[in-house]
Amino acid sequence: MFEGLSTYGRALTVLAASAMLTPAAHAQETPKYGGKVTINVHADAPNFDPLASTEYAVHSRLGLAMNRLVDWATGPDIDYGEFVPKPALAESWDISADSLTYTFKLRKGVVWQDVAPVSGRAFTAADVLATYAAIRESGVQKGLLATVDTITAPDDHTVVIKLKRPNVILLQNLAHQNMWILPKEAFDGGYDRNSVVIGTGPWLLTDNQAGVATHYKKNPTYFGKSADGKQLPYLDEVEILPLKDLNARIMAFRSGQIDIWFGPLNLTQMAAIKQQVPDLQEIKTIANTQTELYLNPSFKPFSDLRVRQALNLAIDRLALGDVVRGGGGIGGVVGPALSKQTLPEEERIALYGTPDHEKAKALLAEAGFADGFSFELTVLNYGEEFVREAEWIQQDLAEIGVKAELKMVDLAAGQALAKEGTYQGLFLVMSPFSEADEYFTTHFLKGGNRNYMGVDDAELTAMIQEQQGISDPAARQQKIWEIQRYTAKNVQNPLPIWSSLLLHPAHARVHGWRPMLPQGFPSLPEVWVSE
Amino acid sequence: MSLAPATPDATHEAQRPRRGSRIIAIMRGLLRDEVGCLALVILTIVLVMALFAPLITQYDPLFQDRRAVLKAPSLAHWFGTDDIGRDVFSRVLYGTRISLFVGLTVVVITMVVGGMIGMISGYFGGLVDMVIQRIVEALDTLPSLVLSLFIAAMLGPSVRNVIIAVSLAQIPRFVRIIRSEMMKIRGQDFILASKVIGSSPLRIMLTHGLPNLMPTMLVIGSLAFGIAIMTEAALSFLGVGTPPPNPSLGTMLSHGTRFIGMAPWLIIFPGLMLTISVLALNLIGDALRDVLDPRQR
């Protein structure tokens, strides 16, 4: 069916192009020092305490002034959602043979920004200990250190983390967007971390006015260097504008008031912007979220695996992605943004992108629903394109005799229904994840906070726990794939649908801009401007 | 003081033209008004198109012809297709159906509920009037669209909830106007006469008050019809009105703005239908007012 479409190849081409990102066309040019870029972050930071909130408005701003022990590497060969550990405040680390002890050697010569009361003193292991102790005690991100047993500092430049059990994603947890290292004075009453920002990062936060702008100036003592040894950052100044209104953001970008776009933007809006700014850099990535269709097994038809498989076979995802989203990637249990953990694309297409209505009807008949059935499909209102996806799925299901009555609800109501389990079908956008383990544990383990389907499968649980202890990356990748295949065959719930494109336009004068999954603009120190 | 107790109903009948002849007179007056007549013709065409939509268009307004996405108007699709291949002409007709249904239902509800409360407030006066008017004033402090939006957002998107939200927001206006009209007539002889012969307040309001208030109700009803259609469209535009996949002129306009450059037909035709319908209703309301109160000509 749908042979008249522009071919699925278009979506695949976009996918491939997106996965490769669009490195700056001026990669061969020599970076220049100086200048300023302006970014929009569509909300004000309510405070600057990284332990109090996971809000992007906070951590996006902190990223310019702070560092983590380990960072996400960026570069032309690294995907948007691919975690490659990069030394930050830790310049190296060793992992014991039993994977239970991590020894971090801290970078020497790093100093805190010259802001009272820290006033440019040297960074030491005591700062790391104080930060992690506070996080473990009361930080919103304390779950990231849940497997940690003890943290000690044998000397000023060594930190040893001992684990209760192996955790192969500890490095990624330490590089998490919320894991900024603060000076120890932030935790002993030395200053108010809600309002004062003191870090070791590339820029100093010099001024923040809610509703107006956040200003940064270059930190002359920043330790970071480029791959070819050049001192970073290149930019003298950075400004973040909290433009909440989409049209205001678009106007600001068109007029050049904003250099780098951050936040939601669809293809139509991008096309409109491009008419005014024809030479913009049209950087696209695949979102680290995907739409998902949850089928509640307490509703009788959905308790039968064959019915869930039938619904899976009814949905034409590739055409949906082409027509409704204009590109992106077919969903998998682990979404396509996590390019090293999601199943290979051809396998995802085989599992989820090959609709077969005859087979679907046969499965329904086998399950005792030869005449189909009706159910209420609760749709969380994430916006018009999302609703279009729901309408698309509704027609696909109707073609195998399953009538879905759409019920629109707001996000809070939908999430409450999901947690209570009082829904029949539920269509939503998955929360963003940066690691397969995070997805598996929250969705498929009993008591997982997103296990809205009540999955409690002993074999699957054992597989999930097993992958947590595999330290060899290749072997772990195989296990993660195995889990996804098992889930597709035996659980088939939720049904992954589609990962949309993320658009990150930037003006042509901006070079080296590479959007990455974690907040805090990790590639910004290497950004430079040509004018 | 003589109240002529022997012939109260005769007095009443003498003051009140027969109901049937009055409606005919109103219709005649409306047809004599050129603009009103034109508006009536336009509204009739819109009504017929909406009512007989299944006979006029061959397309299901929900069916997605995925091989015909964003097609410009043509002989096959008179108003083109939308971004998932649905026929816009068909969706405009069915959307108009929903708009007219919402408008008509809102008018009936507001006329019945608002009219009744307004009559009670105007007839009894005193404490009853004071309590009702304070409630009405409290509701009136919010613009009707904001009030509708608040109620619709609380109840969730559905046609039923849109009707409730728009009706609740329109009732205060009805109450105020009907109350003032009722106050004008409550001291007239035919009401007093009816009281003297022992008629209950309910009977007086229904048999004497209502017929005299009907012309006013018709005028504000026709205007409320237009306002209800606009409010339904506005609520749908904002995402709290008619839920998908049902067509709604407001939802179509809202979604069409995304494609304004590449597929302007997505907003032109729903916009035209909305404009024509509301304009026709407003012109009919104006003409009715002129017919019923020639001093305002």
Side-chain angles (χ1 to χ4, degrees):
Chain A
M1 66 189 301
F2 312 127
E3 61 277 8
L5 281 177
S6 57
T7 77
Y8 301 145
R10 187 164 15 135
L12 302 182
T13 307
V14 173
L15 177 67
S18 306
M20 292 168 69
L21 291 178
T22 311
H26 312 269
Q28 301 305 317
E29 291 183 37
T30 307
K32 293 176 183 167
Y33 284 96
K36 169 185 168 185
V37 298
T38 304
I39 309 170
N40 69 283
V41 172
H42 45 288
D44 280 307
N47 60 59
F48 287 115
D49 181 0
L51 278 66
S53 158
T54 57
E55 285 191 42
Y56 70 91
V58 174
H59 294 277
S60 295
R61 284 177 172 82
L62 290 179
L64 276 68
M66 293 189 168
N67 288 111
R68 296 169 283 232
L69 217 52
V70 184
D71 208 347
W72 285 59
T74 65
D77 303 324
I78 299 174
D79 289 351
Y80 168 78
E82 182 184 359
F83 174 63
V84 176
K86 171 187 163 188
L89 287 173
E91 63 181 356
S92 65
W93 49 85
D94 289 317
I95 305 171
S96 65
D98 60 3
S99 301
L100 288 173
T101 304
Y102 286 66
T103 305
F104 294 91
K105 287 288 175 196
L106 303 187
R107 199 178 289 274
K108 289 179 182 166
V110 176
V111 294
W112 291 102
Q113 292 164 354
D114 191 9
V115 180
V118 183
S119 305
R121 74 162 172 79
F123 159 77
T124 67
D127 299 309
V128 179
L129 261 55
T131 302
Y132 285 167
I135 287 174
R136 293 178 77 192
E137 188 183 328
S138 61
V140 289
Q141 62 278 66
K142 65 181 179 183
L144 297 167
L145 299 178
T147 56
V148 171
D149 186 18
T150 59
I151 305 176
T152 53
D155 60 58
D156 274 357
H157 295 98
T158 307
V159 169
V160 179
I161 297 180
K162 291 197 171 176
L163 304 181
K164 297 172 206 166
R165 57 179 186 276
N167 178 7
V168 293
I169 58 167
L170 181 75
L171 284 181
Q172 187 159 348
N173 286 354
L174 298 181
H176 191 276
Q177 61 202 14
N178 300 155
M179 293 294 280
W180 310 110
I181 302 293
L182 278 71
K184 64 180 194 288
E185 289 85 345
F187 308 102
D188 63 10
Y191 70 94
D192 179 9
R193 59 179 190 265
N194 277 308
S195 54
V196 179
V197 175
I198 306 175
T200 51
W203 292 277
L204 281 137
L205 193 156
T206 53
D207 184 37
N208 178 63
Q209 291 183 55
V212 181
T214 311
H215 292 279
Y216 300 84
K217 285 201 168 174
K218 187 174 185 172
N219 174 12
T221 60
Y222 180 54
F223 60 84
K225 292 204 166 42
S226 68
D228 54 359
K230 288 191 173 127
Q231 179 63 43
L232 297 176
Y234 294 118
L235 297 168
D236 282 345
E237 289 181 61
V238 180
E239 185 178 52
I240 291 180
L241 298 184
L243 296 175
K244 296 181 180 72
D245 179 69
L246 175 68
N247 289 322
R249 290 204 297 274
I250 289 175
M251 291 305 294
F253 188 88
R254 281 179 177 176
S255 66
Q257 191 186 357
I258 291 172
D259 299 297
I260 295 174
W261 181 280
F262 174 82
L265 185 72
N266 66 36
L267 284 167
T268 315
Q269 291 153 353
M270 175 82 134
I273 291 174
K274 203 168 180 188
Q275 283 181 348
Q276 301 288 320
V277 191
D279 61 344
L280 63 78
Q281 297 178 62
E282 204 173 348
I283 302 171
K284 297 174 182 172
T285 62
I286 292 178
N288 64 325
T289 61
Q290 61 185 1
T291 49
E292 292 183 329
L293 176 58
Y294 286 76
L295 306 169
N296 193 339
S298 67
F299 176 62
K300 190 173 177 299
F302 296 150
S303 64
D304 193 314
L305 176 63
R306 290 167 298 186
V307 172
R308 302 197 297 269
Q309 286 169 336
L311 266 59
N312 180 55
L313 286 169
I315 303 167
D316 190 348
R317 292 164 171 88
L318 290 174
L320 177 154
D322 192 15
V323 173
V324 177
R325 294 289 186 178
I330 188 163
V333 176
V334 175
L338 302 184
S339 54
K340 299 291 187 271
Q341 297 186 320
T342 187
L343 285 169
E345 188 185 14
E346 58 273 19
E347 194 169 348
R348 275 184 285 128
I349 290 174
L351 288 173
Y352 302 111
T354 316
D356 185 339
H357 289 185
E358 292 312 311
K359 193 173 172 187
K361 285 177 188 168
L363 281 166
L364 283 179
E366 270 180 44
F369 297 99
D371 297 328
F373 60 90
S374 298
F375 75 103
E376 185 180 80
L377 177 55
T378 303
V379 178
L380 276 66
N381 199 345
Y382 286 97
E384 289 183 5
E385 286 176 337
F386 178 77
V387 174
R388 282 288 192 265
E389 280 196 40
E391 291 175 325
W392 182 284
I393 290 168
Q394 186 186 35
Q395 179 159 314
D396 279 347
L397 298 185
E399 287 180 18
I400 62 163
V402 175
K403 189 178 176 193
E405 290 287 348
L406 302 190
K407 178 189 170 193
M408 299 296 303
V409 296
D410 61 42
L411 303 190
Q415 282 158 2
L417 286 175
K419 283 176 182 159
E420 290 161 9
T422 50
Y423 68 92
Q424 292 179 345
L426 186 69
F427 188 51
L428 50 70
V429 178
M430 179 192 85
S431 300
F433 293 109
S434 53
E435 231 294 326
D437 179 67
E438 203 178 351
Y439 186 87
F440 294 152
T441 53
T442 54
H443 284 74
F444 299 129
L445 292 189
K446 190 180 178 186
N449 62 1
R450 289 182 182 83
N451 188 353
Y452 306 139
M453 315 78 69
V455 174
D456 183 13
D457 182 311
E459 193 174 342
L460 180 58
T461 301
M463 290 164 80
I464 292 170
Q465 287 169 346
E466 189 185 344
Q467 62 81 28
Q468 291 172 335
I470 301 174
S471 53
D472 175 57
R476 183 162 179 261
Q477 183 189 50
Q478 290 300 322
K479 181 54 73 177
I480 286 171
W481 285 358
E482 191 186 326
I483 291 169
Q484 293 176 76
R485 289 174 190 131
Y486 179 89
T487 306
K489 188 177 174 190
N490 301 291
V491 180
Q492 204 59 286
N493 200 4
L495 302 181
I497 307 294
W498 193 258
S499 286
S500 55
L501 279 178
L502 280 184
L503 306 173
H504 317 263
H507 279 273
R509 65 190 282 267
V510 175
H511 305 265
W513 167 235
R514 292 191 180 86
M516 289 295 288
L517 188 148
Q519 291 153 13
F521 308 109
S523 72
L524 203 58
E526 300 202 48
V527 165
W528 56 279
V529 288
S530 52
E531 295 167 26
Chain B
M1 184 179 180
S2 171
L3 289 174
T7 58
D9 284 336
T11 308
H12 175 199
E13 289 302 322
Q15 291 185 352
R16 192 181 67 180
R18 285 179 59 217
R19 209 170 301 167
S21 64
R22 179 139 200 207
I23 290 171
I24 290 169
I26 291 170
M27 287 305 293
R28 278 187 183 151
L30 196 56
L31 292 173
R32 272 198 296 272
D33 183 311
E34 286 175 6
V35 176
C37 183
L38 179 65
L40 198 60
V41 170
I42 290 171
L43 187 65
T44 307
I45 293 171
V46 170
L47 275 170
V48 168
M49 286 174 75
L51 282 174
F52 297 102
L55 302 176
I56 295 170
T57 174
Q58 57 175 318
Y59 295 106
D60 178 342
L62 306 185
F63 180 73
Q64 304 157 17
D65 181 354
R66 294 168 184 176
R67 287 164 294 193
V69 169
L70 289 177
K71 293 287 181 196
S74 63
L75 282 176
H77 297 283
W78 295 351
F79 290 0
T81 61
D82 71 7
D83 57 316
I84 49 176
R86 294 178 297 198
D87 182 64
V88 174
F89 178 64
S90 169
R91 288 181 70 75
V92 166
L93 291 191
Y94 282 87
T96 307
R97 229 180 189 196
I98 291 176
S99 296
L100 293 175
F101 173 71
V102 169
L104 192 62
T105 315
V106 167
V107 167
V108 169
I109 291 172
T110 49
M111 280 175 94
V112 171
V113 179
M116 204 63 223
I117 296 172
M119 279 196 290
I120 290 169
S121 184
Y123 179 81
F124 288 107
L127 184 65
V128 173
D129 182 46
M130 195 196 77
V131 171
I132 291 174
Q133 290 312 306
R134 295 301 82 75
I135 295 170
V136 166
E137 281 164 12
L139 288 170
D140 258 355
T141 55
L142 286 172
S144 62
L145 179 59
V146 175
L147 186 58
S148 300
L149 185 60
F150 175 73
I151 298 166
M154 291 285 285
L155 297 175
S158 76
V159 173
R160 185 196 62 186
N161 293 344
V162 167
I163 290 170
I164 294 171
V166 181
S167 300
L168 285 175
Q170 291 297 315
I171 282 172
R173 178 204 302 255
F174 257 77
V175 171
R176 271 192 291 106
I177 295 172
I178 298 303
R179 174 224 181 216
S180 71
E181 291 297 308
M182 190 70 201
M183 288 178 99
K184 282 182 199 166
I185 63 170
R186 73 178 178 186
Q188 290 191 17
D189 289 348
F190 64 94
I191 299 276
L192 295 175
S194 193
K195 277 185 184 172
V196 168
I197 63 167
S199 299
S200 68
L202 182 64
R203 180 177 167 80
I204 292 171
M205 282 189 275
L206 292 180
T207 59
H208 303 305
L210 191 59
N212 283 281
L213 297 173
M214 196 49 85
T216 306
M217 291 175 89
L218 278 177
V219 174
I220 54 174
S222 63
L223 295 173
F225 202 148
I227 292 170
I229 289 175
M230 284 294 284
T231 311
E232 185 277 330
L235 294 178
S236 298
F237 188 92
L238 295 170
V240 293
T242 306
N246 302 312
S248 152
L249 297 178
T251 312
M252 292 172 78
L253 282 171
S254 169
H255 194 70
T257 53
R258 289 181 52 224
F259 301 93
I260 196 165
M262 66 177 86
W265 57 88
L266 292 183
I267 59 165
I268 288 173
F269 295 113
L272 268 178
M273 184 57 100
L274 189 62
T275 307
I276 288 170
S277 306
V278 175
L279 185 64
L281 282 163
N282 286 348
L283 291 174
I284 289 170
D286 285 348
L288 271 176
R289 189 196 55 206
D290 292 347
V291 169
L292 296 167
D293 186 359
R295 284 171 301 178
Q296 294 199 34
R297 280 175 192 270

